[in-house]
Amino acid sequence: MKNALKVLIVALTTLAFSGVSFAQEKKATPATPAAPATEKKSEMKSEKPKTTRITGEVTSVDAKAGTLTVKAKDKETNLTADTKAKGALEKVKVGDMVKVSYTEKDGKMIVSSVKAESKSKAAKPDKAMEKKGEMMEKKSETK
């Protein structure tokens, strides 16, 4: 009787542990297809165009054709405006300082926004230099 009981306990224990191992295998199987899905997501993210911003001087602009050339740090960049940005090109003139946001698609740089920099920002350093110069002159006169 004791031997039969021992055999029964061993058999039930073995059966219980084998059931747990099958349960673990079933959970691992659905996880395998999920791995390629995350790879597809990362591939899609890498294909998303990156927005780039430059600030520079307008060297040429054609509002009708929707083209713009901006010189920033001794490098000229040829840009093409999308339908939303074409309206802003009409306000821009050659020689203006602009901030341009664009994305690269199919080898072309597509402008999404063009903002003209205010001339007051560019004039502030000049006024500061003038005040500094005046203060230097006053100091030399008082000595």
Side-chain angles (χ1 to χ4, degrees):
M1 184 74 177
K2 286 184 182 182
N3 285 339
L5 188 59
K6 285 181 185 178
V7 171
L8 184 62
I9 290 175
V10 170
L12 289 176
T13 306
T14 306
L15 184 63
F17 283 120
S18 65
V20 172
S21 67
F22 285 124
Q24 288 179 350
E25 287 179 23
K26 289 180 182 178
K27 288 182 182 177
T29 305
T32 306
T38 56
E39 289 177 14
K40 288 179 184 177
K41 288 180 183 178
S42 64
E43 287 176 14
M44 292 175 69
K45 287 181 183 178
S46 65
E47 292 176 12
K48 203 173 198 181
K50 182 180 177 186
T51 301
T52 308
R53 293 183 182 97
I54 59 170
T55 302
E57 182 181 350
V58 177
T59 56
S60 70
V61 63
D62 186 357
K64 289 181 182 177
T67 60
L68 174 73
T69 304
V70 178
K71 183 177 181 181
K73 297 181 183 178
D74 299 328
K75 182 181 176 187
E76 287 198 4
T77 307
N78 296 322
L79 305 158
T80 305
D82 65 1
T83 54
K84 295 176 184 176
K86 281 187 180 180
L89 289 182
E90 295 173 1
K91 299 174 186 174
V92 177
K93 301 175 207 165
V94 174
D96 287 353
M97 290 296 290
V98 293
K99 285 185 181 181
V100 180
S101 297
Y102 67 92
T103 56
E104 191 168 341
K105 293 180 185 175
D106 300 327
K108 293 182 180 180
M109 296 179 194
I110 309 297
V111 176
S112 55
S113 72
V114 178
K115 294 181 184 176
E117 292 227 336
S118 63
K119 293 181 181 177
S120 62
K121 285 184 180 180
K124 284 183 180 180
D126 295 335
K127 289 181 181 179
M129 291 300 285
E130 288 176 15
K131 288 181 180 180
K132 202 173 200 179
E134 289 174 9
M135 292 178 78
M136 295 296 281
E137 288 177 18
K138 288 180 183 178
K139 283 185 180 179
S140 62
E141 289 175 6
T142 56
K143 288 184 179 179

